[in-house]
Amino acid sequence: MTEKTKRRHWADLFLIFAIVYLGTQFGIRFLFPERFLPAEERAMPFVLTPEDASVKGGHHPILTLLNNTEYEVTFEDRCPAPPVDIYYRPDAPPEPQGAPMELLEPDAPCSPVQAIPAGKKGQIDLASWKYAAFSEYGYYAVNLTLPPQQAAATGAVLTTSFTMHEAGWMTQVFRAFVSKPLLNLLVFIASIVPGYNLGLAIILLTILVKLVLFIPTQHGLQGQKKLQAIQPKIETLRKRYGSDQKKLNEETMKLWKEYKVNPFQSCLPILVQFPILIGLFYAVRDGSHLALSTHLLYGPYKDLPWTFGTMFVGFDLLEPSVYVFPPLLVALQFLQMKLTFAMAKKKKEAKDGQAVVDVGAKDKAQGKKPMSQQDIQQKMMLYVLPFMIGFFAIKFPAAVSLYWGVSTLFAIGQQVVVNRKA
């Protein structure tokens, strides 16, 4: 094995290790955030903080409570009142004392705050009072009154604060031209399906959007296949002109021109459809609770006489599905990635003739050769991306997982068509 090959081999191993390590750290922080708090917060019995100190208009505040004690914290059911006392001022931080804000009925049905086990962090979601309490921009402070059995050791009240501000112009444009049309289309579809079923509406909306994006997506996939087809030739150019970047660029341009390859063909359609797919994701997520998305609804849909039917094939689409949808999404995403790289692998094997490259006596005996940069990237996407999607599906409502599953199935069908043509 040459010195250059050794360096490249170690660089590949380092890249794989770095990605796995960072992914593991992210997962641990996502699942166990209380382990990474500053020492002074870990030393306090209870720590109440907002998830976001500055909340964008159209969103709602979420509080987190860290329980550093040795016993579970339970909360009184204050519904329909919020679990905290709320204080507001438009121009300066309010003093969390005296009479709190008088609230009307909540915008959506509320439920008691779940108990927080010892040493864990829990959420206090204020979504049910999104419009009733937090419709004005300005400064907010909240008081959380602890149950008597916990209050004796820590003080009766915990306080935190945050601000509400107007959404930026990019967010407003995105909502106006992407989020609102898609969400209202979802509501329209639900209004004509049996039982106003949210699951059927999501499936139909996802297929409709994918059909609209079919041509640009197909164009992008074909461009991707062209790039994969000439990748072995590009690798040859890199080996030949690796030290001369200018010459390498010139020869690469010639190669693209010879095979009529546009490197942007596979990128531009993705860039065009990406905001639409993101908007579809938010439409499905926000559509699960229409009472909390009235700022995105058009006039005729603001006061609907019906609600979504949220049960679909035995699943409540408003709740995460831990044991079914995540592993299913992992399998579907893996299959899509496998199909995406299938043609490139076949072409590469045909070119190489499955021959053994002379990379040292040991490697030669074992029939191995060092992986190219493209091989490493493909393996990372093949094995890491599906598990990342499955991991996030554990946290999201099943409605989002259903959307992603239908979208991936459609993408698999498109990829099969492209592979057959290739």
Side-chain angles (χ1 to χ4, degrees):
M1 184 182 293
T2 64
E3 190 65 29
K4 182 177 180 181
T5 303
K6 287 182 179 179
R7 289 198 300 268
R8 186 172 181 178
H9 179 70
W10 282 108
D12 294 343
L13 290 177
F14 175 79
L15 177 62
I16 294 174
F17 173 79
I19 294 176
V20 172
Y21 174 79
L22 292 174
T24 302
Q25 290 296 309
F26 175 80
I28 293 175
R29 287 176 179 270
F30 188 77
L31 291 173
F32 309 103
E34 63 275 1
R35 297 185 181 180
F36 298 90
L37 293 171
E40 60 271 17
E41 291 191 8
R42 293 199 301 269
M44 300 172 63
F46 295 99
V47 180
L48 180 68
T49 55
E51 280 199 353
D52 193 343
S54 182
V55 183
K56 185 187 300 183
H59 294 179
H60 62 270
I62 299 176
L63 309 178
T64 60
L65 179 64
L66 174 63
N67 176 14
N68 283 325
T69 67
E70 297 180 353
Y71 44 81
E72 182 180 79
V73 179
T74 57
F75 297 89
E76 177 187 357
D77 183 3
R78 295 181 38 165
C79 290
V84 294
D85 295 327
I86 305 170
Y87 301 83
Y88 164 76
R89 283 187 64 180
D91 52 356
E95 290 293 333
Q97 299 173 358
M101 181 187 298
E102 293 185 6
L103 299 175
L104 301 175
E105 290 295 315
D107 307 299
C110 62
S111 56
V113 178
Q114 294 184 351
I116 302 176
K120 297 296 183 180
K121 178 184 285 189
Q123 281 191 347
I124 302 174
D125 196 334
L126 301 177
S128 296
W129 300 270
K130 178 176 181 177
Y131 302 113
F134 305 107
S135 59
E136 301 292 334
Y137 301 135
Y139 298 83
Y140 289 84
V142 295
N143 285 344
L144 174 65
T145 302
L146 293 171
Q149 63 270 28
Q150 285 93 32
T154 63
V157 176
L158 298 174
T159 300
T160 191
S161 61
F162 53 88
T163 61
M164 297 288 301
H165 66 89
E166 185 178 8
W169 69 269
M170 291 185 65
T171 300
Q172 294 183 34
V173 170
F174 185 82
R175 288 175 178 173
F177 294 100
V178 181
S179 297
K180 284 186 176 182
L182 288 174
L183 178 58
N184 285 273
L185 181 57
L186 177 67
V187 176
F188 169 74
I189 294 174
S191 69
I192 59 177
V193 300
Y196 309 114
N197 189 270
L198 179 61
L200 291 176
I202 289 172
I203 293 173
L204 293 174
L205 175 64
T206 305
I207 293 174
L208 180 61
V209 171
K210 296 293 283 187
L211 287 174
V212 171
L213 298 175
F214 183 85
I215 293 178
T217 302
Q218 202 75 357
H219 189 66
L221 291 175
Q222 291 169 355
Q224 188 180 66
K225 285 299 172 187
K226 288 181 181 179
L227 282 173
Q228 290 177 349
I230 66 168
Q231 194 62 34
K233 295 182 181 293
I234 292 178
E235 290 291 334
T236 302
L237 292 179
R238 286 174 179 168
K239 293 176 182 178
R240 184 180 302 172
Y241 305 109
S243 58
D244 188 347
Q245 190 63 40
K246 181 178 179 181
K247 184 66 175 178
L248 175 61
N249 291 338
E250 291 176 356
E251 294 299 322
T252 302
M253 293 290 288
K254 289 181 182 178
L255 189 65
W256 286 344
K257 186 176 181 180
E258 178 183 353
Y259 287 90
K260 299 179 181 179
V261 171
N262 181 359
F264 299 104
Q265 181 180 349
S266 61
C267 299
L268 289 178
I270 295 175
L271 294 177
V272 170
Q273 63 178 302
F274 187 71
I276 298 177
L277 296 178
I278 292 295
L280 182 58
F281 166 83
Y282 283 115
V284 171
R285 188 196 67 176
D286 297 339
S288 302
H289 299 278
L290 284 181
L292 304 179
S293 303
T294 57
H295 65 290
L296 297 176
L297 295 175
Y298 297 145
Y301 297 134
K302 285 188 179 294
D303 297 301
L304 293 173
W306 53 266
T307 58
F308 280 130
T310 60
M311 296 302 297
F312 183 73
V313 293
F315 296 98
D316 185 353
L317 296 179
L318 303 186
E319 299 294 331
S321 173
V322 178
Y323 301 108
V324 177
F325 279 111
L328 182 61
L329 290 180
V330 169
L332 289 175
Q333 193 64 46
F334 180 83
L335 178 58
Q336 183 190 354
M337 292 291 99
K338 199 77 172 175
L339 289 170
T340 300
F341 303 134
M343 288 303 299
K345 183 178 180 181
K346 287 182 180 179
K347 289 179 180 293
K348 186 175 181 180
E349 289 177 351
K351 178 181 180 297
D352 294 343
Q354 297 181 343
V356 177
V357 178
D358 187 10
V359 292
K362 182 177 179 181
D363 287 350
K364 188 172 183 179
Q366 296 178 349
K368 296 179 180 178
K369 64 177 183 177
M371 291 188 298
S372 67
Q373 195 68 28
Q374 184 192 22
D375 292 334
I376 294 173
Q377 293 173 356
Q378 289 182 359
K379 284 186 178 297
M380 294 307 301
M381 291 185 66
L382 182 62
Y383 295 107
V384 175
L385 182 61
F387 284 99
M388 287 181 60
I389 291 174
F391 175 76
F392 288 120
I394 295 174
K395 293 288 185 179
F396 285 125
V400 176
S401 298
L402 177 63
Y403 146 69
W404 195 264
V406 174
S407 181
T408 305
L409 276 173
F410 196 98
I412 289 172
Q414 277 192 276
Q415 194 68 57
V416 169
V417 171
V418 171
N419 287 1
R420 285 181 176 177
K421 287 184 178 180

